[in-house]
Amino acid sequence: MTPWAARLARAAYSTLLRVGTPAYLARLWWRGRAEPPYRHALAERLAHYAERPSSGWLWLHAVSLGETRAAAALVEALRARQPGLRLLLTHGTATGREAGAALLREGDRQAWLPFDTPGGARRFLAQFRPSLGVLMETEVWPNLLREAQAAGVPMVLANARLSERSARKGERLAALMQPAAASLALVLAQTEDDARRLRAAGAPHVQVCGNLKFDLTPDAALVERGRAWRAALGRPVLLFAVSREGEEAPLLAAWSRATRGAAPRPLLVVVPRHPQRFDEVAVLLRSAGLRMARRSSWADTPPPEALAADAWLGDSMREMPLYYGLGQVALLGGSFAPLGGQNLIEAAACGCPVVMGPHTFNFAEAAELAAAAGAAQRVPDLEAGLAAAMRLLAEPAALQQAAERSRGFAAAHRGAAARIAEAIVALLPGRLTAPA
């Protein structure tokens, strides 16, 4: 690949983004109807700020809720090593920004990461002048990395992962993506396979540090609340965790057949991945003839009508430990359609065994390790997944053993936060304590 080809690819990419900026802003405004935080501080999406420029930040970008929750363990480890650091936390989604607010201390700053145009990236870096930038997992933005390199800001890709599918896509866009990967000062990969693919994609300095999500500690109070609700129900509970579009309807059809005549009939709990789909999934549950209760309709204690319901809709945010405490076994959303699966580590840490479909390419090694440890089992499709879950619910001894293996699996792989924090601190130019 020649420098000319790289320049041409980035110019074409930048032109497309500039042309698409009005549509991008319109989409954010549209999403803000259901999720008002998307309409907050829209000027930041184009890197326009009211305050004066500053400097001396450790900048960490966690695009959405999953990355932000993983970043919590890293932020804690960084503060232990740099107690006075000034944290600039950026996001791309409303759920990520809402969760990130809990990580801030006095003197920290939170902002949207701007759209990846050259001008937006330059204005962002001129506004905050970070001493070092940390991008979480897969956030490789060509213009942002190019402008960071020009501004002398070292960039780290932390908790990095790259699936085979994404690697193949990257090969088709090599003229654009390879220079971006090559500009990274350090890549801290989750697994050896991720590291191999990231090196092939052009990253020059790659280390394997493990997966930050193993270092997350579920909220014990939420887990216990979920278990208390299960006890109050007095019947088995099956959780469909972080479900995605196209998965709920086939499950409900199979559920009707699998539970016909069951006594007691298990409670089905469906927790959709995206909050904008809560109402849509509620309609699906009612259309399936199920008496449905919405988690958002009560505070700390389910009312009698909820305890008697056939299904619950998990339409609340930041309560996954509660749902994993409530469920005795979980079907893993995103794994039954070709969507790459969801993070199963939190389920394991809460002692909730997982049944997963064939599509777990976004979390390939974690899925394989969980299966090998007996914390998860793989099935070919949703109907087989439901059958496997129902068998497990019917065998208390096997269910208890699977729960214990789940907790053991989660505990055995901790330590990534400390390793990643050490690598980042080694790159810092000094203690990030004083404003400009």
Short mmCIF file of all heavy atoms in Angstrom, two decimals, residues 355-396:
data_model
loop_
_atom_site.label_atom_id
_atom_site.label_comp_id
_atom_site.label_asym_id
_atom_site.label_seq_id
_atom_site.Cartn_x
_atom_site.Cartn_y
_atom_site.Cartn_z
N VAL A 355 -26.77 -20.46 28.24
CA VAL A 355 -26.93 -21.27 27.04
C VAL A 355 -26.79 -20.31 25.86
O VAL A 355 -27.51 -19.32 25.77
CB VAL A 355 -28.30 -21.96 27.00
CG1 VAL A 355 -28.46 -22.74 25.70
CG2 VAL A 355 -28.46 -22.90 28.20
N MET A 356 -25.84 -20.60 24.96
CA MET A 356 -25.54 -19.66 23.87
C MET A 356 -25.73 -20.34 22.53
O MET A 356 -25.54 -21.55 22.38
CB MET A 356 -24.12 -19.12 24.00
CG MET A 356 -23.05 -20.18 24.05
SD MET A 356 -21.43 -19.49 24.50
CE MET A 356 -20.46 -21.01 24.59
N GLY A 357 -26.07 -19.52 21.54
CA GLY A 357 -26.22 -20.00 20.18
C GLY A 357 -24.90 -20.09 19.44
O GLY A 357 -23.82 -19.96 20.04
N PRO A 358 -24.95 -20.25 18.12
CA PRO A 358 -23.72 -20.47 17.35
C PRO A 358 -22.92 -19.21 17.06
O PRO A 358 -21.77 -19.30 16.63
CB PRO A 358 -24.24 -21.08 16.04
CG PRO A 358 -25.63 -20.54 15.91
CD PRO A 358 -26.16 -20.41 17.31
N HIS A 359 -23.49 -18.00 17.30
CA HIS A 359 -22.86 -16.76 16.84
C HIS A 359 -22.29 -15.98 18.03
O HIS A 359 -22.96 -15.14 18.63
CB HIS A 359 -23.87 -15.90 16.09
CG HIS A 359 -24.56 -16.61 14.98
ND1 HIS A 359 -23.91 -16.95 13.81
CD2 HIS A 359 -25.82 -17.07 14.86
CE1 HIS A 359 -24.76 -17.58 13.01
NE2 HIS A 359 -25.92 -17.67 13.62
N THR A 360 -21.04 -16.25 18.38
CA THR A 360 -20.39 -15.56 19.49
C THR A 360 -19.04 -14.98 19.05
O THR A 360 -18.11 -14.89 19.85
CB THR A 360 -20.18 -16.51 20.68
OG1 THR A 360 -19.47 -17.68 20.23
CG2 THR A 360 -21.51 -16.93 21.29
N PHE A 361 -18.96 -14.55 17.79
CA PHE A 361 -17.65 -14.12 17.27
C PHE A 361 -17.14 -12.84 17.93
O PHE A 361 -15.93 -12.59 17.92
CB PHE A 361 -17.69 -13.97 15.75
CG PHE A 361 -18.79 -13.11 15.20
CD1 PHE A 361 -18.70 -11.73 15.21
CD2 PHE A 361 -19.94 -13.69 14.67
CE1 PHE A 361 -19.71 -10.94 14.69
CE2 PHE A 361 -20.96 -12.92 14.15
CZ PHE A 361 -20.85 -11.53 14.16
N ASN A 362 -17.99 -12.02 18.53
CA ASN A 362 -17.50 -10.82 19.21
C ASN A 362 -16.83 -11.15 20.54
O ASN A 362 -16.07 -10.33 21.07
CB ASN A 362 -18.66 -9.85 19.47
CG ASN A 362 -19.06 -9.11 18.21
OD1 ASN A 362 -18.28 -8.96 17.28
ND2 ASN A 362 -20.30 -8.64 18.18
N PHE A 363 -17.12 -12.31 21.10
CA PHE A 363 -16.57 -12.72 22.39
C PHE A 363 -16.12 -14.18 22.29
O PHE A 363 -16.41 -15.00 23.15
CB PHE A 363 -17.62 -12.56 23.49
CG PHE A 363 -18.18 -11.17 23.57
CD1 PHE A 363 -19.33 -10.84 22.89
CD2 PHE A 363 -17.54 -10.19 24.31
CE1 PHE A 363 -19.86 -9.55 22.94
CE2 PHE A 363 -18.06 -8.90 24.38
CZ PHE A 363 -19.21 -8.59 23.69
N ALA A 364 -15.38 -14.48 21.21
CA ALA A 364 -15.10 -15.87 20.86
C ALA A 364 -14.35 -16.61 21.96
O ALA A 364 -14.75 -17.71 22.37
CB ALA A 364 -14.31 -15.92 19.55
N GLU A 365 -13.26 -16.04 22.46
CA GLU A 365 -12.47 -16.77 23.43
C GLU A 365 -13.21 -16.90 24.76
O GLU A 365 -13.18 -17.97 25.39
CB GLU A 365 -11.11 -16.11 23.66
CG GLU A 365 -10.26 -16.90 24.66
CD GLU A 365 -8.82 -16.47 24.73
OE1 GLU A 365 -8.02 -16.92 23.89
OE2 GLU A 365 -8.50 -15.69 25.64
N ALA A 366 -13.87 -15.84 25.21
CA ALA A 366 -14.62 -15.92 26.46
C ALA A 366 -15.70 -16.99 26.36
O ALA A 366 -15.93 -17.75 27.32
CB ALA A 366 -15.24 -14.56 26.79
N ALA A 367 -16.35 -17.07 25.20
CA ALA A 367 -17.39 -18.09 25.02
C ALA A 367 -16.80 -19.49 25.08
O ALA A 367 -17.37 -20.39 25.73
CB ALA A 367 -18.11 -17.87 23.69
N GLU A 368 -15.66 -19.70 24.42
CA GLU A 368 -15.05 -21.03 24.42
C GLU A 368 -14.54 -21.41 25.82
O GLU A 368 -14.68 -22.54 26.26
CB GLU A 368 -13.91 -21.08 23.40
CG GLU A 368 -14.37 -20.96 21.96
CD GLU A 368 -15.44 -21.98 21.61
OE1 GLU A 368 -15.28 -23.16 21.95
OE2 GLU A 368 -16.46 -21.58 21.00
N LEU A 369 -13.94 -20.44 26.51
CA LEU A 369 -13.46 -20.71 27.87
C LEU A 369 -14.62 -21.03 28.80
O LEU A 369 -14.51 -21.93 29.65
CB LEU A 369 -12.69 -19.50 28.39
CG LEU A 369 -11.32 -19.23 27.75
CD1 LEU A 369 -10.76 -17.90 28.24
CD2 LEU A 369 -10.34 -20.36 28.06
N ALA A 370 -15.73 -20.30 28.65
CA ALA A 370 -16.90 -20.56 29.50
C ALA A 370 -17.45 -21.96 29.24
O ALA A 370 -17.83 -22.68 30.18
CB ALA A 370 -17.97 -19.50 29.25
N ALA A 371 -17.51 -22.34 27.97
CA ALA A 371 -18.01 -23.68 27.65
C ALA A 371 -17.08 -24.75 28.22
O ALA A 371 -17.54 -25.76 28.78
CB ALA A 371 -18.14 -23.83 26.13
N ALA A 372 -15.77 -24.53 28.09
CA ALA A 372 -14.81 -25.51 28.61
C ALA A 372 -14.90 -25.63 30.13
O ALA A 372 -14.67 -26.71 30.69
CB ALA A 372 -13.40 -25.12 28.19
N ALA A 373 -15.25 -24.52 30.81
CA ALA A 373 -15.32 -24.52 32.27
C ALA A 373 -16.67 -25.01 32.79
O ALA A 373 -16.86 -25.12 34.01
CB ALA A 373 -15.05 -23.12 32.79
N GLY A 374 -17.61 -25.27 31.89
CA GLY A 374 -18.94 -25.70 32.32
C GLY A 374 -19.84 -24.57 32.76
O GLY A 374 -20.90 -24.79 33.35
N ALA A 375 -19.42 -23.32 32.46
CA ALA A 375 -20.24 -22.15 32.80
C ALA A 375 -21.23 -21.82 31.70
O ALA A 375 -22.13 -21.00 31.90
CB ALA A 375 -19.33 -20.94 33.05
N ALA A 376 -21.07 -22.42 30.54
CA ALA A 376 -21.96 -22.17 29.40
C ALA A 376 -22.02 -23.43 28.55
O ALA A 376 -21.12 -24.27 28.58
CB ALA A 376 -21.44 -20.99 28.57
N GLN A 377 -23.10 -23.54 27.80
CA GLN A 377 -23.18 -24.61 26.81
C GLN A 377 -23.68 -24.01 25.49
O GLN A 377 -24.46 -23.07 25.48
CB GLN A 377 -24.10 -25.74 27.27
CG GLN A 377 -25.51 -25.35 27.65
CD GLN A 377 -26.33 -26.56 28.09
OE1 GLN A 377 -26.53 -27.50 27.34
NE2 GLN A 377 -26.79 -26.53 29.34
N ARG A 378 -23.18 -24.58 24.40
CA ARG A 378 -23.51 -24.07 23.07
C ARG A 378 -24.54 -24.98 22.40
O ARG A 378 -24.46 -26.21 22.52
CB ARG A 378 -22.26 -23.97 22.19
CG ARG A 378 -22.51 -23.19 20.89
CD ARG A 378 -21.28 -23.17 20.01
NE ARG A 378 -20.18 -22.45 20.61
CZ ARG A 378 -20.07 -21.12 20.59
NH1 ARG A 378 -21.03 -20.37 20.05
NH2 ARG A 378 -19.02 -20.52 21.12
N VAL A 379 -25.49 -24.34 21.70
CA VAL A 379 -26.53 -25.07 20.99
C VAL A 379 -26.65 -24.49 19.58
O VAL A 379 -26.19 -23.37 19.32
CB VAL A 379 -27.89 -24.94 21.72
CG1 VAL A 379 -27.85 -25.64 23.07
CG2 VAL A 379 -28.28 -23.48 21.87
N PRO A 380 -27.26 -25.22 18.65
CA PRO A 380 -27.29 -24.75 17.26
C PRO A 380 -28.31 -23.67 16.96
O PRO A 380 -28.14 -22.92 15.99
CB PRO A 380 -27.60 -26.02 16.46
CG PRO A 380 -28.31 -26.92 17.42
CD PRO A 380 -27.70 -26.63 18.76
N ASP A 381 -29.39 -23.56 17.77
CA ASP A 381 -30.43 -22.59 17.46
C ASP A 381 -31.26 -22.31 18.72
O ASP A 381 -31.06 -22.92 19.78
CB ASP A 381 -31.33 -23.06 16.31
CG ASP A 381 -31.91 -24.45 16.54
OD1 ASP A 381 -32.33 -24.72 17.68
OD2 ASP A 381 -31.94 -25.26 15.59
N LEU A 382 -32.22 -21.39 18.58
CA LEU A 382 -33.01 -20.97 19.73
C LEU A 382 -33.85 -22.10 20.31
O LEU A 382 -33.97 -22.25 21.52
CB LEU A 382 -33.92 -19.80 19.33
CG LEU A 382 -33.55 -18.42 19.88
CD1 LEU A 382 -34.45 -17.35 19.32
CD2 LEU A 382 -33.59 -18.42 21.40
N GLU A 383 -34.46 -22.90 19.44
CA GLU A 383 -35.31 -23.98 19.95
C GLU A 383 -34.48 -24.97 20.76
O GLU A 383 -34.90 -25.42 21.84
CB GLU A 383 -36.03 -24.69 18.80
CG GLU A 383 -37.05 -25.69 19.26
CD GLU A 383 -38.31 -25.69 18.40
OE1 GLU A 383 -38.35 -24.99 17.38
OE2 GLU A 383 -39.24 -26.42 18.78
N ALA A 384 -33.29 -25.30 20.26
CA ALA A 384 -32.41 -26.18 21.03
C ALA A 384 -31.94 -25.51 22.32
O ALA A 384 -31.77 -26.16 23.35
CB ALA A 384 -31.21 -26.58 20.17
N GLY A 385 -31.73 -24.19 22.24
CA GLY A 385 -31.33 -23.45 23.44
C GLY A 385 -32.40 -23.48 24.51
O GLY A 385 -32.10 -23.68 25.70
N LEU A 386 -33.63 -23.30 24.10
CA LEU A 386 -34.73 -23.35 25.06
C LEU A 386 -34.86 -24.74 25.66
O LEU A 386 -35.05 -24.89 26.89
CB LEU A 386 -36.03 -22.94 24.37
CG LEU A 386 -37.29 -22.95 25.24
CD1 LEU A 386 -37.11 -22.06 26.47
CD2 LEU A 386 -38.49 -22.51 24.42
N ALA A 387 -34.72 -25.78 24.84
CA ALA A 387 -34.80 -27.15 25.35
C ALA A 387 -33.69 -27.41 26.36
O ALA A 387 -33.92 -28.02 27.42
CB ALA A 387 -34.72 -28.14 24.19
N ALA A 388 -32.47 -26.94 26.07
CA ALA A 388 -31.35 -27.15 27.00
C ALA A 388 -31.59 -26.41 28.31
O ALA A 388 -31.31 -26.92 29.40
CB ALA A 388 -30.05 -26.68 26.35
N ALA A 389 -32.10 -25.18 28.21
CA ALA A 389 -32.38 -24.40 29.42
C ALA A 389 -33.46 -25.05 30.27
O ALA A 389 -33.36 -25.12 31.50
CB ALA A 389 -32.79 -22.98 29.04
N MET A 390 -34.50 -25.56 29.62
CA MET A 390 -35.58 -26.21 30.36
C MET A 390 -35.10 -27.48 31.05
O MET A 390 -35.52 -27.79 32.17
CB MET A 390 -36.74 -26.51 29.41
CG MET A 390 -37.42 -25.27 28.83
SD MET A 390 -38.25 -24.28 30.08
CE MET A 390 -39.70 -25.29 30.38
N ARG A 391 -34.21 -28.22 30.39
CA ARG A 391 -33.65 -29.42 31.04
C ARG A 391 -32.87 -29.04 32.29
O ARG A 391 -32.95 -29.70 33.33
CB ARG A 391 -32.75 -30.18 30.06
CG ARG A 391 -33.50 -30.98 29.01
CD ARG A 391 -32.58 -31.96 28.32
NE ARG A 391 -31.46 -31.31 27.63
CZ ARG A 391 -31.50 -30.85 26.39
NH1 ARG A 391 -32.62 -30.99 25.67
NH2 ARG A 391 -30.45 -30.30 25.84
N LEU A 392 -32.10 -27.96 32.18
CA LEU A 392 -31.30 -27.52 33.32
C LEU A 392 -32.20 -27.06 34.46
O LEU A 392 -31.93 -27.36 35.65
CB LEU A 392 -30.36 -26.39 32.89
CG LEU A 392 -29.10 -26.13 33.71
CD1 LEU A 392 -28.29 -27.40 33.90
CD2 LEU A 392 -28.25 -25.05 33.05
N LEU A 393 -33.27 -26.35 34.15
CA LEU A 393 -34.20 -25.91 35.19
C LEU A 393 -34.85 -27.08 35.91
O LEU A 393 -35.22 -26.97 37.09
CB LEU A 393 -35.29 -25.02 34.57
CG LEU A 393 -34.87 -23.62 34.12
CD1 LEU A 393 -36.02 -22.92 33.42
CD2 LEU A 393 -34.39 -22.79 35.31
N ALA A 394 -34.97 -28.19 35.21
CA ALA A 394 -35.62 -29.37 35.80
C ALA A 394 -34.67 -30.22 36.63
O ALA A 394 -35.11 -31.21 37.24
CB ALA A 394 -36.25 -30.21 34.69
N GLU A 395 -33.38 -29.88 36.67
CA GLU A 395 -32.38 -30.69 37.38
C GLU A 395 -31.64 -29.81 38.39
O GLU A 395 -30.58 -29.26 38.10
CB GLU A 395 -31.39 -31.30 36.39
CG GLU A 395 -32.05 -32.22 35.35
CD GLU A 395 -31.07 -32.70 34.29
OE1 GLU A 395 -29.85 -32.46 34.46
OE2 GLU A 395 -31.51 -33.30 33.31
N PRO A 396 -32.17 -29.66 39.62
CA PRO A 396 -31.58 -28.75 40.60
C PRO A 396 -30.10 -29.01 40.88
O PRO A 396 -29.32 -28.06 41.03
CB PRO A 396 -32.44 -28.99 41.85
CG PRO A 396 -33.75 -29.49 41.32
CD PRO A 396 -33.40 -30.30 40.10
#
